[in-house]
Amino acid sequence: MSIIYVLIPIAMLFVLIAVSIFFWAVKSEQFDDLDRQSVSILFDEDDIKANTNVNDSTNSHPTNSTSAELVGSDTLDDKPESKP
Amino acid sequence: MTSCFHCNEPVTTGEQYTTLIQGQQQPMCCPGCQAVSQAIMDAGLSSYYQFRSEPGQRQTALVPEQLSQYSAYDLPEVQQDFVHKQGAIDSTSLSIDGITCAACAWLIEHKLKPVAGITNVLVNSTTQRALVSWDSHIIQLSEILQIISKVGYQAAPYQVDEQEKQSKVDSRKFLLRLGLAGFATMQVMMFALALYTGYFTGLDVEFRDYFRWVSLMFAAPVVLYSAQPFYFSALRSLLSGKLNMDVSVSIAILGAYVASCVATIQGNGEVYFESVSMFTFFLLLGRYFEQSARQKASVSSSNLHKLVPLTAHLLRNGDATEIAAKQLIIGDIILVKPGEVIAADAEVVLGQSSVNEAMLTGEQMPISKHLADKVYAGTINIEQPLQVRVTALGQDQLVAEIIRLQELASNNKPAIALVADRLARYFSASILSIAAITYLVWLSISPDDAFWITLSVLVATCPCALALATPTAVTCATAIFTKLGVIPRKTGIFEKLTKIDHVVFDKTGTLTCGYLSIGEVQTFGQYSSEQVLSLAAATEQGSLHPIALAFKPFYDNKHIVEHVDHHIGLGIRACINQQQVCIGTAQFVTPDCNQVSPQALESQWIFLSIDNKLVAKIEMLDQLRIDSLATVNALKAANIKLSIASGDSSGHVEFLANKIGISDVHSGLSPQGKLALVNRLQQKANVAMFGDGINDAPVLAGANLSVAMGSGSAIAKNSADLILLGDHLSRFNDAIYVAKQAQRIIHQNLLWAFAYNMVILPLAVTGHVAPYIAAIGMSVSSLIVVSNSLRLLRIKL
């Protein structure tokens, strides 16, 4: 029975390691996006030689978007400072 | 009916748009989806279609004006609000609309990573945001935004809620505390089991004390670190002279821990280490649920708060330079092109045009502006370029006036005392007084046991179940709300929703779609209505007037259009296929007109003439939203009174009210008028207000419960309790239903918690509760509450 004097401290050490790993994981933002990381293994990580020319034009047919959409109506996010 | 391979919407355009995906021509519903899917395939990102778990977002292809809008984000004065510079590398966080699943996040990352100049991309699909770093010498922010829009997402910098910054820090702290408490509780529980068995079978005192010491060590971080929030909250409430649940919780945790330590050191009495740890763990679980629901809400509301840079074209010596609106000074002359937002209150010095002031007033039709007329910040110029002189900035603008009114109204918003808070106060007070009485009584019976029995009263009458009752139910209900596309922005929504008995609707943009569309077409003469619409569309092509936008779907490029001539407030004259086509008011299209019957008030008619001969009249309507009628009927069925409060003063309001059966109609109201109306109603009822415009902001802030449309202005969303994404009005009825169910579950939970406490209290007072009974009772009652709340997730709507 006296073996527990050895075993329990070892168990405590394990818990300490587990807790510090958990703290490290939280602090390195691993719990911030749970939907994303769960499936990330499915995606190929090949480096894609994509056509990265920014200026290739897609055929943009104007569709029904109202002028209210074109200019965000949120003029108030940007409060000009009044000058004396 | 085939459905679009990209967004799953039904394809109504036939075989017109297809994209080659993994060797097969897949149908697309519109040029937008086609462009997006093509861009995805061209970039070699076909994995997106393989692994996505949700359909993509329906695309409306970007118009050039929208793309040029992005350039404003490159101005240094605009960037200083949201871009973080480190040497040559700029970084910012963008809110991205349209992220539906992890595949989207992967797609955006892979599209951006290979681009020259982008040093780092991190997309978070939970918060729908991307952290982007780029080298500003190689690439501009506007280009990055364009790349993102090419694969079908709309990205924009956003305004971080103060609330969100705080709640992010809080959430992380809570997770740490909760995790630690979880680990420690598991360990302590193991030793507790050994102690329980020892209690019945007789364990050597040596080992018993050893286990107690180990439990003491494991429980220490829980008491000293995990439980901190309860102590602070208890102190705060005591300092403000109130009692809350945390007072009795803190006394129980600290009391039980200290007493157990004393018992361990002296080697007698009882230890409560497992109860203390579990107690803390369960309570933290409840708090963590609450916190994460709050964080989700604050993230969504920050995401809705897009930063749209307000810029102006400053005229100096004849050239226009684009500057940020905050750099304007009074007296500057600025050029406002058609379709642009006017950057400041100003007066017209050159040109004439019409200006859409719907956001400020709720008036549907643009208002003509001539020399020396006043124009207001936030309104949109429609027809011709205008030169205006800035007359007011910042706090002196009309918009700022409305914001002040909004702040005032939100201070006078009727507060509701949440049932749970009230209960907690009474509960705490009664537990503390019962504990005190127990102590005094036992002191006279047997002084040795007095302390232990009092302690068991505090531990056994566990507020755990009570503390978990509301947050778990609210968390589940919030999850359903999120699925419905209803974003709760404030606390106490569920209680408010169930108490609503009067709903006030704004008209434009709330009950109606907020833009004009074509109703009836009457033709005179040999033209069919298709021909008429196609001609009208050709004439109106290139105008930004709401009427012109209604004709957009009918545009085809088979007509030869020349000499287009806009007449502000009257109509457009153009030469099409060598014939003179006029569209506009009756007097304008046929100067010698006598065929025109007087118009009915409820809608607008516009007229079309060819070579001065009237050929058609076309009805222009602001259509009701698809589900307005259903929503109104459902609310009526629930015995809720309804009113309309609109800034529009035309007969259209009455007409609509008749159509959907609302009898109490108030039209032509200023923002102050709306607020006064709601305040008057509030004396007799709990009022919910629906709105979308700047002019609704004050009344939204003042109503008992306010609902803003997702497409509404930022300021309206800011003062709302609920936001309806996707503008489905009927979701409000679902929200009420969910809230009622949530209330029911909360009441059941509270009832159960009380019943449990009623049973355990007499036992504890009479000294019959051993530590293991306290621990078991506590966990069982908490688990019952949590599983009862989880039933909410199975609601069928």
Side-chain angles (χ1 to χ4, degrees):
Chain A
M1 200 51 187
S2 53
I3 188 70
I4 59 170
Y5 286 111
V6 179
L7 288 179
I8 288 178
I10 292 177
M12 287 168 93
L13 191 68
F14 281 157
V15 173
L16 202 67
I17 292 168
V19 167
S20 35
I21 290 175
F22 173 74
F23 269 50
W24 164 80
V26 171
K27 288 203 163 118
S28 57
E29 308 203 344
Q30 302 204 16
F31 288 88
D32 283 14
D33 187 1
L34 299 173
D35 326 349
R36 171 79 199 283
Q37 308 310 340
S38 54
V39 295
S40 58
I41 193 165
L42 295 174
F43 291 108
D44 305 332
E45 286 300 326
D46 314 337
D47 272 338
I48 293 141
K49 297 287 167 282
N51 170 9
T52 55
N53 185 358
V54 180
N55 304 322
D56 59 346
S57 59
T58 48
N59 47 345
S60 59
H61 297 278
T63 51
N64 324 339
S65 48
T66 60
S67 62
E69 272 173 55
L70 304 187
V71 277
S73 49
D74 314 343
T75 57
L76 303 151
D77 303 346
D78 179 334
K79 293 193 191 113
E81 294 119 44
S82 53
K83 295 198 170 62
Chain B
M1 179 62 83
T2 46
S3 59
C4 172
F5 190 78
H6 182 78
C7 72
N8 273 3
E9 298 273 334
V11 177
T12 51
T13 47
E15 296 281 302
Q16 219 174 331
Y17 306 108
T18 57
T19 310
L20 188 69
I21 294 174
Q22 286 155 348
Q24 288 205 326
Q25 286 291 349
Q26 299 289 3
M28 297 285 157
C29 64
C30 63
C33 284
Q34 202 255 329
V36 165
S37 54
Q38 194 59 56
I40 291 172
M41 296 312 295
D42 289 348
L45 302 175
S46 60
S47 293
Y48 168 75
Y49 288 111
Q50 226 170 322
F51 296 118
R52 62 182 181 167
S53 53
E54 300 279 340
Q57 204 190 20
R58 193 195 162 102
Q59 299 302 329
T60 41
L62 283 185
V63 276
E65 288 96 328
Q66 233 165 329
L67 290 172
S68 69
Q69 260 258 301
Y70 286 144
S71 67
Y73 287 115
D74 294 337
L75 290 173
E77 299 77 28
V78 170
Q79 284 201 351
Q80 70 188 25
D81 290 341
F82 57 85
V83 172
H84 179 73
K85 287 188 185 298
Q86 227 174 355
I89 304 293
D90 290 3
S91 59
T92 189
S93 177
L94 301 170
S95 146
I96 301 190
D97 285 350
I99 291 186
T100 50
C101 63
C104 298
W106 175 86
L107 176 67
I108 295 168
E109 278 189 13
H110 275 251
K111 182 79 185 164
L112 289 181
K113 270 200 179 123
V115 175
I118 295 183
T119 53
N120 189 19
V121 192
L122 244 172
V123 181
N124 181 331
S125 63
T126 310
T127 53
Q128 308 196 347
R129 286 178 187 169
L131 205 61
V132 185
S133 311
W134 68 97
D135 184 336
S136 51
H137 300 111
I138 304 175
I139 193 168
Q140 290 290 324
L141 178 59
S142 58
E143 292 168 4
I144 297 172
L145 297 178
Q146 282 194 32
I147 298 170
I148 297 175
S149 76
K150 283 223 180 85
V151 280
Y153 302 91
Q154 294 305 308
Y158 56 93
Q159 174 90 50
V160 182
D161 256 32
E162 275 311 304
Q163 216 180 358
E164 189 196 332
K165 282 182 201 158
Q166 194 48 49
S167 83
K168 190 176 160 122
V169 176
D170 286 354
S171 290
R172 184 161 302 178
K173 274 216 178 104
F174 263 113
L175 189 56
L176 289 174
R177 292 183 206 280
L178 182 69
L180 182 74
F183 276 114
T185 304
M186 286 188 251
Q187 300 305 315
V188 175
M189 214 57 222
M190 281 202 300
F191 296 106
L193 275 174
L195 289 171
Y196 295 156
T197 45
Y199 180 85
F200 292 110
T201 57
L203 181 70
D204 286 359
V205 172
E206 181 200 356
F207 288 119
R208 190 199 68 180
D209 281 356
Y210 177 48
F211 289 147
R212 284 184 172 190
W213 275 105
V214 175
S215 309
L216 183 150
M217 280 152 99
F218 272 124
V222 181
V223 173
L224 300 177
Y225 173 72
S226 291
Q228 275 175 4
F230 307 120
Y231 310 149
F232 289 129
S233 145
L235 274 178
R236 267 197 303 273
S237 89
L238 284 178
L239 288 176
S240 64
K242 284 198 217 55
L243 274 182
N244 65 359
M245 194 93 88
D246 291 331
V247 176
S248 59
V249 166
S250 304
I251 290 177
I253 291 177
L254 287 172
Y257 186 72
V258 170
S260 308
C261 290
V262 170
T264 307
I265 294 162
Q266 293 179 346
N268 59 13
E270 304 281 7
V271 291
Y272 285 91
F273 292 122
E274 80 284 14
S275 304
V276 171
S277 320
M278 209 173 353
F279 197 68
T280 312
F281 177 69
F282 281 138
L283 285 173
L284 274 171
L285 200 60
R287 295 287 160 96
Y288 180 69
F289 282 149
E290 255 177 304
Q291 180 58 42
S292 61
R294 208 174 301 148
Q295 193 191 358
K296 275 210 180 72
S298 70
V299 165
S300 328
S301 69
S302 294
N303 279 345
L304 286 170
H305 203 151
K306 299 270 190 286
L307 282 173
V308 178
L310 191 54
T311 58
H313 298 283
L314 182 65
L315 284 176
R316 285 245 171 86
N317 321 324
D319 344 313
T321 43
E322 193 177 30
I323 62 163
K326 51 184 153 182
Q327 292 174 287
L328 287 172
I329 46 178
I330 290 183
D332 275 345
I333 306 280
I334 53 177
L335 172 72
V336 188
K337 295 176 187 163
E340 282 189 344
V341 175
I342 297 167
D345 284 10
E347 58 183 9
V348 180
V349 291
L350 187 72
Q352 51 170 315
S353 178
S354 60
V355 172
N356 180 347
E357 293 186 348
M359 270 298 166
L360 283 179
T361 59
E363 287 280 2
Q364 191 77 46
M365 293 310 288
I367 293 166
S368 307
K369 297 285 179 185
H370 304 282
L371 198 64
D373 279 349
K374 286 205 69 86
V375 291
Y376 300 103
T379 57
I380 302 166
N381 182 19
I382 301 281
E383 275 157 342
Q384 312 274 4
L386 280 177
Q387 287 188 21
V388 298
R389 183 187 302 113
V390 177
T391 55
L393 289 166
Q395 290 306 306
D396 308 327
Q397 300 186 133
L398 189 67
V399 162
E401 194 94 5
I402 294 178
I403 295 177
R404 273 196 290 276
L405 190 64
Q406 173 197 7
E407 278 161 8
L408 208 65
S410 66
N411 293 340
N412 300 334
K413 192 177 186 122
I416 62 161
L418 291 172
V419 172
D421 295 349
R422 280 207 308 274
L423 279 176
R425 241 198 343 266
Y426 294 136
F427 183 84
S428 280
S430 47
I431 291 292
L432 288 173
S433 45
I434 288 171
I437 292 164
T438 311
Y439 184 72
L440 293 173
V441 170
W442 277 97
L443 209 57
S444 59
I445 301 171
S446 95
D448 292 345
D449 296 330
F451 177 76
W452 294 107
I453 288 169
T454 310
L455 192 63
S456 75
V457 168
L458 283 176
V459 175
T461 54
C462 151
C464 279
L466 213 56
L468 285 169
T470 318
T472 48
V474 164
T475 307
C476 295
T478 308
I480 298 172
F481 268 33
T482 315
K483 267 196 216 123
L484 284 174
V486 179
I487 296 183
R489 284 192 69 247
K490 310 253 165 79
T491 48
I493 293 292
F494 298 95
E495 218 155 308
K496 284 183 186 177
L497 269 170
T498 53
K499 291 203 176 102
I500 290 302
D501 39 24
H502 196 132
V503 174
V504 183
F505 289 100
D506 169 51
K507 176 187 76 85
T508 313
T510 306
L511 284 174
T512 66
C513 300
Y515 50 84
L516 289 175
S517 56
I518 289 162
E520 197 186 335
V521 181
Q522 288 181 12
T523 54
F524 320 105
Q526 78 272 38
Y527 291 94
S528 71
S529 60
E530 285 77 27
Q531 287 170 308
V532 165
L533 288 173
S534 151
L535 278 173
T539 322
E540 295 274 10
Q541 179 60 14
S543 163
L544 289 167
H545 196 282
I547 288 179
L549 295 173
F551 286 103
K552 269 231 162 97
F554 302 97
Y555 179 70
D556 48 37
N557 46 13
K558 63 183 187 212
H559 301 291
I560 303 151
V561 187
E562 298 161 304
H563 310 299
V564 182
D565 193 7
H566 294 257
H567 295 260
I568 311 279
L570 298 171
I572 301 174
R573 188 171 281 139
C575 186
I576 299 182
N577 314 335
Q578 276 78 49
Q579 291 175 303
Q580 196 188 56
V581 178
C582 277
I583 186 164
T585 62
Q587 289 71 18
F588 174 71
V589 301
T590 53
D592 48 358
C593 135
N594 51 8
Q595 313 141 282
V596 180
S597 55
Q599 307 171 23
L601 257 182
E602 60 268 12
S603 61
Q604 283 184 302
W605 291 87
I606 59 165
F607 299 83
L608 186 88
S609 72
I610 296 178
D611 294 331
N612 279 343
K613 195 165 158 300
L614 189 69
V615 292
K617 66 177 195 174
I618 302 163
E619 186 185 28
M620 306 301 300
L621 288 169
D622 182 2
Q623 299 276 14
L624 273 179
R625 283 191 193 280
I626 304 167
D627 51 4
S628 289
L629 191 59
T631 309
V632 164
N633 288 339
L635 288 172
K636 273 189 186 157
N639 271 335
I640 291 172
K641 292 199 199 69
L642 301 169
S643 312
I644 293 183
S646 175
D648 194 343
S649 50
S650 69
H652 190 220
V653 189
E654 288 282 350
F655 166 73
L656 266 182
N658 282 334
K659 202 162 161 181
I660 55 176
I662 296 181
S663 54
D664 185 33
V665 183
H666 307 264
S667 57
L669 291 175
S670 64
Q672 287 90 337
K674 286 189 180 189
L675 184 60
L677 170 76
V678 165
N679 286 344
R680 214 167 43 243
L681 294 173
Q682 273 171 334
Q683 287 162 6
K684 293 195 292 286
N686 274 311
V687 182
M689 174 80 205
F690 278 73
D692 69 323
I694 295 173
N695 60 333
D696 299 317
V699 67
L700 286 174
N704 302 65
L705 175 88
S706 48
V707 186
M709 310 309 276
S711 60
S713 63
I715 173 172
K717 285 187 272 199
N718 243 345
S719 42
D721 298 323
L722 282 179
I723 297 172
L724 295 181
L725 290 181
D727 299 343
H728 300 291
L729 277 178
S730 56
R731 295 286 161 81
F732 182 66
N733 294 318
D734 296 338
I736 290 183
Y737 174 74
V738 173
K740 286 201 165 133
Q741 294 301 323
Q743 281 298 86
R744 218 168 47 98
I745 296 272
I746 290 173
H747 287 164
Q748 287 169 359
N749 288 347
L750 291 175
L751 201 70
W752 160 252
F754 271 108
Y756 162 78
N757 282 313
M758 285 295 111
V759 172
I760 202 87
L761 192 66
L763 292 176
V765 170
T766 51
H768 289 89
V769 175
Y772 67 92
I773 294 184
I776 292 169
M778 191 159 62
S779 21
V780 169
S781 69
S782 302
L783 288 175
I784 287 178
V785 163
V786 172
S787 38
N788 189 34
S789 292
L790 289 174
R791 290 194 314 150
L792 266 177
L793 292 176
R794 294 206 304 270
I795 283 186
K796 293 278 172 290
L797 286 165

